[in-house]
Structure formats: C-alpha cells, structure tokens
Amino acid sequence: MSACVPTRTDELPRKTRKGHKPRQTRGDGPPSGGGQSRFRIAGSDLSASVAVFLIALPLSLGIALATGAPLQAGLVAAAVGGIVAGRFGGAPLQVSGPAAGLTVVTADLIQQYGWRVTCAITVLAGFAQLGLAALRVARSALAVSPAIVHGMLAGIGVTIALAQLHIVLGGTPQSSAIDNVRALPAQLAQLQPAAISVSALTVAVVLAWPRIPGAAGRIVRTIPAALAAVGAATTLAVVAALHLPRVDLPSWSSHALPALPDGPVLGVIAAVLTITLVGSVESLLSAVAVDKLLAGRKEPDIRIPRADLDRELAGQGAANVVSGALGGLPITGVAVRSSANVSAGAVSRHSTMLHGLWIVLAALLLVPVLDLIPLAALAALVMVVGVQMVSITHMRTVRRNREMLVYAVTLASVVLTGVLEGVVIGVAVAVAVALHRLTRTRITEEEHEGIHRVRVRGQLTFLAVPRLSRALNHVPAGAQCVVELDGSFMDHAAYEALHDWQSSHVRQGGTVEFTGRAGGRISEPASETHGCCRPWTPWRNHHCEDRVQRTDTHQLADGLSSFQRDTAPLVRDELARLEREGQRPSQLFLTCSDSRLVTSMITASGPGDLFTVRNMGNLVPLPGAENRDDSVAAAIEYAVDVLQVGSITICGHSGCSAMEALLTTPPGGAQTPWKRWLRHGRPSLERMRSRHRSWARIAGRLPTDAIEQLCLTNVVQQLDHLRAHDSVARRLAEGTLELHGMYFHGGEAQAYLLASSDEHTFDAVFTRVAPASSALVKVQA
C-alpha cells in the first residue's frame, strides 16, 4: 500500500495539507494523484478483459439459443452488462451479462408473451431493481437459505440440460422439462450423426481442457475452455462440410425492440417479480462470492473495496433497463465470468467495462466468423454449464447442514412447476423445517454411579421450559449433576430456568456442570455473584475498580482458583506435552510491557508459540551502548542462537507511555532508572526529527499526532538496533532469519504490518492487516 505524504515541514502533520490527497489504489479506478487523469487503464485490467471476453462471447450466444431469443440479444446483454453494470454497479470486479440462472424464466416468457414483450418485462424488472436499491434492501436477499438458492440453481441446470440435450442430438426442445423427458425416447430413435459428432467434440474439449497436464497444459489453458471447444467444433464442421444449423445473426437494422405487454396484468406482474427476484438474488450472491475470492488474493498493494450490495442492485437494474430497451436478454451478475476476472488479475471496474466494449466490436466486425458456429456446439456448451449447476460440493454442504430436504424439494419444484413457484415452495419447506427443529427438543434424565445427567437435544426455547423444569426437578437436592446441552440456540426463558435451578441446587449443597454433547465443559450461566475480570469472558464495560474487594482472599488467588477450576483441565495435556518436548517457539516477539497489550490475543497464539520479551517502549539497546540492558541482548542471543527462531517481530502500540515521555521529558535532571532506560529511545526521536528521512506512514492516513508518529518511527529504529546484534546479523546474512515490524492500534483493535523498511531509502509504510490475513510481511534487511 502506498501513501502520499505532504511536503516536509518542520512540524509533524496533524492532517493532510490542502491540495494533497493520499495516493491509493481503488477498485473504482487506477492510482491517481496530482494533475494526472483519473482514467488510466492498468495492464492487468486489459488482459483480464480479453480473458473474460473470450469466455463471455460463446456463452452469450449459447444462452440466447437456449432461451429461444434472437442470438444477437445475447450479445446486446453481454455488452450492456459489461459497460452499464460494470460502470454503475457496486462490485467493481463482478462481470454481468446473460446468465444460465434466468434461462428457464426467459424461455417461458418468450413462449408465453413473445420476444418483444419479454424485452419490455426486462425493462420493468430493471425499474423494480432500482426501486429495491433505493429502499436499501439488498442485504435482505442474503437471508434466503443457501439450500433454496442451490436447489433453485440445480433445478434450473437440470431444466437447461434436458432442453439442450435435444439440440445436441439433432432435434428440437419441447416447452417444459417433463415434455423434454417424454420426447427423449423418440429423439434417441432419430439421431443426427453430424450434430452428435460436433456436440461430442464440444463436450470433450470443455471437460478435458482444464486437465491437460504439464507445461503444454499451462500454455493452452490461457485460452478459455469454452472458446476452445466452440472453435474446435466450428473447425470440424467447416473442414468436414457438415450440414448443420448454424448461428444466423440478422442485420442490426431489423433488430427487434420491446413492445408494450398485452397479456393479463397479473401475469405480467408475476413475470416482472420472477426476473427481479431470481436476477437480484443471483447477482448479490455472486457479488459476495467475488468478495471471498478477493480476500484470498495475495496483493497487499491493491485496495479493492468490498461490494456495496445496494449500489450493485442499482447497477443491475440500470443494466436491465438498457438491455431490455435495446432488445437484449435479462442481465445478472455471473459467477463464472466474475471468478475468471478475479483470477486474471483485474484491479478495477475497467476490466468489466472493456470486456463489454470487445463484445460490441465483435458483434459489429466478426459477424461472418460467428455465422460459422454450429448451433449444436453452443447447445452442448450450455448443456455442460447446466449439468455443472448441479454441484456435488453444494449437495455435500447442504447435507452436512441437514438441509437436504429443502434442497431436494426446491430442485424438484423448479423442474416440475417453474422457478418462481419452486422458490416459493422451497421457502415454505425451509420455514417448516426450521419450526420443526425449534419445537423438537428431547430432554432425558438418568443416574449413573451417583451422578445425575440431564441431556437436552435440540434448541432450548420457552416451549421446552416445562419439560426442562420437570427433568431438573427429578435431580435430588445436594446431588452431583451434569447438564449436557446439544443445541445452537437458547432463548431467555430457558436461560432463566437453567440459571434459577442452578442457583437453588448449589445452595442446597449440590454441584452443577454444563457440557456439550462431546462432554467438553462449557461455561455455566452467568451469575450476579461472579467477580470482575473472569478469564476468557467478554470484556464489555470492563472496570476492575468497580469490583467489591473481598477480605477473605487475595485477588490473585481468586484468579488462580478460577484457572485451576475452569482452564487447567482443558490445557493440562497440552502443557504436559510442551513440558516434555521443551520450548520450540517460532519467533521472538519483542513488545511493550503496557498492560493493555495482550500478545496472545492479537497474535492468536498459544503456549509455546512465541518467545516474548517485554519492556517499556519495546526498545532494543544497541550493543556497547552506555547503560545498556544486557537482559534484552541476552534474550535476543538465546532466542536466535539456542532456540533458533525463524523470525523476530518488534511490536509498538498506540498511546505508548514511553514514547510520550520521550517527547515531553526535558533533557538533564536527575538520572533515574526510568530516564536512563529512555536513552535507548532517543535515536528514534532523532530519526523522526531528521530532515533526511521520510516520516513513517500508516495505511490510508497520516499519523494522528506526534506520539503516534514516534511510535511508528520507533519500530523502524529498533529494527535497525536489532540488526546491529552479532547473532542477528549472522543469521540475516545466512538468510535463515526474518525481521518484522508491527504496530497495534488499541482503540481501533487493528494491527498494522511494516511493509517496507529499507535503510537505504529510509522509507517505512505500515499496512493494515485484513481479517483474512495470517502472514507477516518480510522486512527488507
């Protein structure tokens, strides 16, 4: 991440000076600053747009063929989806266009109302999406159960595959999935060898293309499988002079435009709602999937904002209005093309818009080439896409979450009744299943070897409280009891019932332990008598001074007692293993002794992971320095030479008292131990004030004040001190040790990593750590 720093002045910055904007890379466009034009196309966007274009071109024609629409309608939708939705949508790298998810809906509308009325319905659906975006309800679409969405897509895929199978075999598809199944035996009796050969070649290339091994495979995979398959099938048809129906793009002067609906009003409204619902849900889910793909990209210098779902919905609505008005198919976000765009390295919405431009140029200039493509090849390509929509991975996920009934019913309903009706039936089944699970709670009570065990299977709601109370009352007073809870939800009524019974049972001399199904101990319901500062509890409104001091025991003893009771049984085996094997930490972590800095929490580390050294100001005294502290040098030498750690991290933090003292304590006066220790931080203060060094910078903004600037600079300076130690310098020269810089902002609960600390350029930039990140950025030695 690069940042723009104002011209150097004598004072530290408190805000960006007028006329200077931070330089950064966004998903909305390439880096910009100063007087340069904002519209600059990155090379990665250009190459990604070509890759997406090569995928979108054959698929757009195939989807138009599958719907029964004019073939150029697919090109219109692809071009509008790239340019309009790409420009105004809220997911910069999402690619929109005609999608398989709307194929069945569009085909039904064309058959019922005709093509021109279907275009008008597309326009109305676009306006409906704009209205939903204005109401900011995009997030609500994500509340639909994934089992319903996967079942809907699988049902659409089955319907598409059954219809295209007839074209693959050389025939004509019927009006519904059931009719296609019934007509299949007759179609098999009248096979067309030319169509079958072209279709078989298409399917073979699509399936085999990603699996070509070796260096040759890496080279040929730069060409999309869809393009390669259609190209191979077209070449076969031309060379062998096969007589087959081919693509026929009529003159654009005779291109059909929308006409006003003349059918029943309720039917038109239902059609608009169907396209709005299916298109919106598919687009929003695709946008969320693109965010997940972006989170996995290892490009710390590229900042691409997360999807704004309401803006994305508005962009889809605008694209559908334009596409329908120009005689194009309905538009949605397309997961396949979007993932290809991300994989190709796109960094802004320019890649999506350029792919739309290439579609326009192809529609105008490549008509003679497109007219050579056999319809059977396009049908085979779309049939493969339909089959792939029935995802085995999705089925396993649904089964693992016990949603298979919802998935199967939605799939069957979509195939048998239609998309809208199938989704409604799926929602009804999902609600019924949820209510059934909520009310189905099994509660049993048994006694074994003097221990009473109450087992609860299912969700604990107020409906189960009478049975829960009856089972708990069967436990004799003063008995030892284990309550085994196996459920993910407990409402307030059930919580109160458990808490009240526990308090009463403990007062009568009994004991209560709460466990999960596997027997692992879990925390008991909170009690008002619990003191402050219980380990591993939420730190909300944390005020230790508010606790009532007990006179019969010490606060430390309370903590130790809590550890022995709650935590020790869980970690005893692991600590025993570490005791046997000895410590083998992966890194030395040198940080401040500030009590608010919890190293195990911010690094998500456990016992044995870090060799931690803490001192005021996370300082590393230079070897041979006056009043140096050999304890720090000894820890460094031990960690590097004996423990053989692979990395050393110096971690500063916000609001550091040592850095504040460096800024505010005047020189001279009595040399107390505190002042003598702070001498090791004075090189950091001099580095910050030097005119020959750039300020340390923090991602997305300048340091808020002089203290934060010194905290950042101090991390960089102490890394220089660290390199001066003989053991560290030797390991760095061998290439077996890495140095890292880190800054933790307590108020933001945000960690920043030092992305650059080159002592020759004197430049240091701290970059934000995203939630998905897990690796430190190597500091240049």
Side-chain angles (χ1 to χ4, degrees):
M1 174 72 67
S2 64
C4 182
V5 182
T7 305
R8 179 77 176 185
T9 63
D10 291 337
E11 296 181 356
L12 289 170
R14 295 188 179 270
K15 62 181 180 179
T16 305
R17 296 179 62 195
K18 183 177 180 181
H20 293 263
K21 297 182 179 180
R23 181 183 178 95
Q24 56 189 355
T25 301
R26 295 181 177 271
D28 289 340
S32 61
Q36 297 177 340
S37 171
R38 286 185 59 84
F39 192 80
R40 289 193 299 136
I41 298 174
S44 55
D45 280 335
L46 185 61
S47 59
S49 70
V50 174
V52 176
F53 158 73
L54 295 177
I55 296 173
L57 183 63
L59 283 177
S60 299
L61 292 172
I63 290 170
L65 173 67
T67 61
L71 293 182
Q72 66 265 37
L75 300 178
V76 171
V80 172
I83 297 173
V84 178
R87 175 61 185 87
F88 298 106
L93 300 192
Q94 171 151 277
V95 180
S96 301
L102 281 173
T103 300
V104 176
V105 177
T106 308
D108 289 342
L109 294 180
I110 293 174
Q111 184 179 13
Q112 184 174 357
Y113 296 104
W115 169 241
R116 297 183 66 191
V117 174
T118 301
C119 292
I121 292 174
T122 301
V123 173
L124 294 176
F127 281 119
Q129 288 179 313
L130 289 172
L132 293 176
L135 295 175
R136 306 188 68 81
V137 297
R139 288 279 173 190
S140 302
L142 302 182
V144 180
S145 168
I148 297 175
V149 177
H150 296 327
M152 177 191 73
L153 295 177
I156 292 172
V158 170
T159 305
I160 291 173
L162 289 174
Q164 298 310 297
L165 180 58
H166 284 272
I167 302 178
V168 165
L169 298 176
T172 303
Q174 304 300 312
S175 59
S176 68
I178 299 300
D179 291 338
N180 281 320
V181 172
R182 290 173 178 170
L184 194 57
Q187 184 63 60
L188 291 173
Q190 300 177 1
L191 298 178
Q192 300 292 328
I196 292 177
S197 60
V198 168
S199 301
L201 177 61
T202 304
V203 173
V205 173
V206 168
L207 298 180
W209 201 256
R211 296 174 174 82
I212 298 177
R218 289 193 297 271
I219 294 174
V220 300
R221 279 194 295 272
T222 57
I223 302 174
L227 181 66
V230 172
T234 303
T235 302
L236 172 64
V238 172
V239 172
L242 299 178
H243 296 286
L244 289 169
R246 300 177 188 270
V247 169
D248 182 16
L249 292 176
S251 170
W252 287 100
S253 61
S254 60
H255 181 61
L257 297 178
L260 292 176
D262 56 0
V265 175
L266 292 180
V268 172
I269 292 175
V272 171
L273 292 178
T274 302
I275 289 184
T276 302
L277 172 65
V278 177
S280 299
V281 170
E282 187 170 356
S283 298
L284 296 176
L285 292 176
S286 176
V288 173
V290 170
D291 278 346
K292 293 179 180 179
L293 292 174
L294 287 173
R297 287 210 321 198
K298 306 298 183 183
E299 296 174 347
D301 292 337
I302 304 298
R303 254 189 84 211
I304 300 174
R306 292 178 61 84
D308 181 339
L309 296 185
D310 290 303
R311 179 180 172 183
E312 178 62 22
L313 189 56
Q316 295 294 328
N320 273 313
V321 170
V322 176
S323 179
L326 296 179
L329 290 169
I331 289 172
T332 72
V334 188
V336 174
R337 291 169 228 176
S338 301
S339 62
N341 194 33
V342 174
S343 301
V347 296
S348 78
R349 62 179 72 248
H350 291 160
S351 63
T352 302
M353 297 168 65
L354 283 174
H355 122 272
L357 177 61
W358 307 145
I359 294 287
V360 172
L361 295 177
L364 296 176
L365 304 178
L366 298 181
V367 173
V369 177
L370 298 179
D371 285 346
L372 297 175
I373 300 175
L375 295 184
L378 295 179
L381 177 63
V382 176
M383 184 184 70
V384 172
V385 173
V387 172
Q388 291 174 342
M389 292 173 70
V390 188
S391 172
I392 300 299
T393 302
H394 290 165
M395 294 176 66
R396 289 173 179 167
T397 302
V398 168
R399 182 179 179 182
R400 186 166 56 248
N401 290 282
R402 298 185 299 169
E403 298 263 329
M404 199 63 192
L405 176 63
V406 178
Y407 176 89
V409 170
T410 305
L411 189 157
S413 301
V414 169
V415 172
L416 297 176
T417 64
V419 176
L420 183 60
E421 296 86 349
V423 170
V424 171
I425 294 173
V427 170
V429 172
V431 171
V433 169
L435 291 176
H436 175 70
R437 289 177 179 172
L438 198 61
T439 57
R440 188 186 178 207
T441 305
R442 294 181 55 200
I443 302 175
T444 60
E445 186 269 334
E446 64 181 22
E447 186 268 337
H448 181 67
E449 296 181 354
I451 300 177
H452 290 260
R453 187 177 297 273
V454 177
R455 292 188 174 90
V456 180
R457 298 285 184 267
Q459 316 310 316
L460 266 179
T461 67
F462 65 95
L463 298 173
V465 167
R467 287 181 289 145
L468 175 64
S469 298
R470 186 161 50 249
L472 294 175
N473 288 334
H474 288 165
V475 179
Q480 184 177 357
C481 180
V482 176
V483 180
E484 184 179 300
L485 302 175
D486 175 27
S488 58
F489 176 76
M490 179 191 303
D491 71 1
H492 187 69
Y495 170 84
E496 288 290 345
L498 277 175
H499 175 265
D500 293 343
W501 174 82
Q502 178 201 20
S503 300
S504 174
H505 190 71
V506 170
R507 281 197 302 269
Q508 295 174 8
T511 63
V512 180
E513 180 179 351
F514 293 90
T515 71
R517 186 170 189 175
R521 193 175 190 277
I522 61 177
S523 297
E524 66 275 8
S527 171
E528 291 83 352
T529 60
H530 287 176
C532 179
C533 306
R534 287 204 54 165
W536 319 120
T537 55
W539 298 346
R540 186 172 300 161
N541 301 323
H542 178 73
H543 295 289
C544 285
E545 65 272 14
D546 292 341
R547 74 172 280 156
V548 179
Q549 295 292 338
R550 297 175 56 182
T551 57
D552 58 337
T553 185
H554 192 273
Q555 179 179 351
L556 177 61
D558 280 348
L560 294 174
S561 176
S562 178
F563 167 78
Q564 294 299 143
R565 182 183 68 249
D566 297 330
T567 310
L570 303 178
V571 301
R572 183 172 288 115
D573 292 342
E574 177 67 11
L575 293 180
R577 182 187 67 80
L578 292 173
E579 185 74 16
R580 292 192 305 269
E581 298 177 358
Q583 63 168 327
R584 291 182 292 183
S586 60
Q587 64 174 298
L588 165 62
F589 197 82
L590 198 154
T591 188
C592 186
S593 38
D594 191 294
S595 60
R596 300 164 295 181
L597 195 67
V598 185
T599 58
S600 59
M601 178 183 67
I602 64 176
T603 60
S605 56
D609 292 339
L610 302 180
F611 185 73
T612 305
V613 176
R614 304 182 67 146
N615 62 54
M616 290 298 294
N618 44 277
L619 302 178
V620 180
L622 279 168
E626 182 184 359
N627 295 319
R628 71 181 186 276
D629 186 338
D630 283 340
S631 66
V632 177
I636 294 171
E637 182 180 344
Y638 182 77
V640 172
D641 291 341
V642 179
L643 299 179
Q644 292 290 308
V645 296
S647 66
I648 303 176
T649 300
I650 294 182
C651 176
H653 70 98
S654 59
C656 181
S657 301
M659 298 300 103
E660 182 178 2
L662 270 176
L663 282 171
T664 58
T665 302
Q671 291 299 301
T672 64
W674 171 234
K675 286 188 177 182
R676 286 197 297 272
W677 174 250
L678 286 181
R679 287 183 179 179
H680 304 302
R682 294 205 174 277
S684 300
L685 189 59
E686 295 169 1
R687 184 187 190 112
M688 185 184 72
R689 291 173 174 171
S690 172
R691 293 179 176 272
H692 304 293
R693 297 178 184 266
S694 299
W695 290 323
R697 293 169 286 170
I698 193 166
R701 63 174 175 84
L702 296 173
T704 55
D705 52 27
I707 295 178
E708 185 169 60
Q709 180 63 258
L710 183 56
C711 290
L712 297 171
T713 305
N714 182 58
V715 172
V716 181
Q717 184 63 39
Q718 300 310 313
L719 285 170
D720 287 351
H721 290 185
L722 191 60
R723 295 186 186 96
H725 285 257
D726 292 340
S727 55
V728 174
R730 183 180 64 255
R731 289 280 303 279
L732 287 174
E734 295 171 353
T736 58
L737 182 67
E738 296 180 353
L739 305 186
H740 306 295
M742 176 178 168
Y743 174 73
F744 183 75
H745 195 296
E748 298 175 355
Q750 175 66 55
Y752 296 86
L753 297 177
L754 183 59
S756 173
S757 179
D758 193 321
E759 52 191 337
H760 300 292
T761 61
F762 308 113
D763 185 33
V765 179
F766 287 79
T767 61
R768 180 187 295 268
V769 179
S773 298
S774 61
L776 291 174
V777 180
K778 183 177 180 180
V779 175
Q780 299 173 7

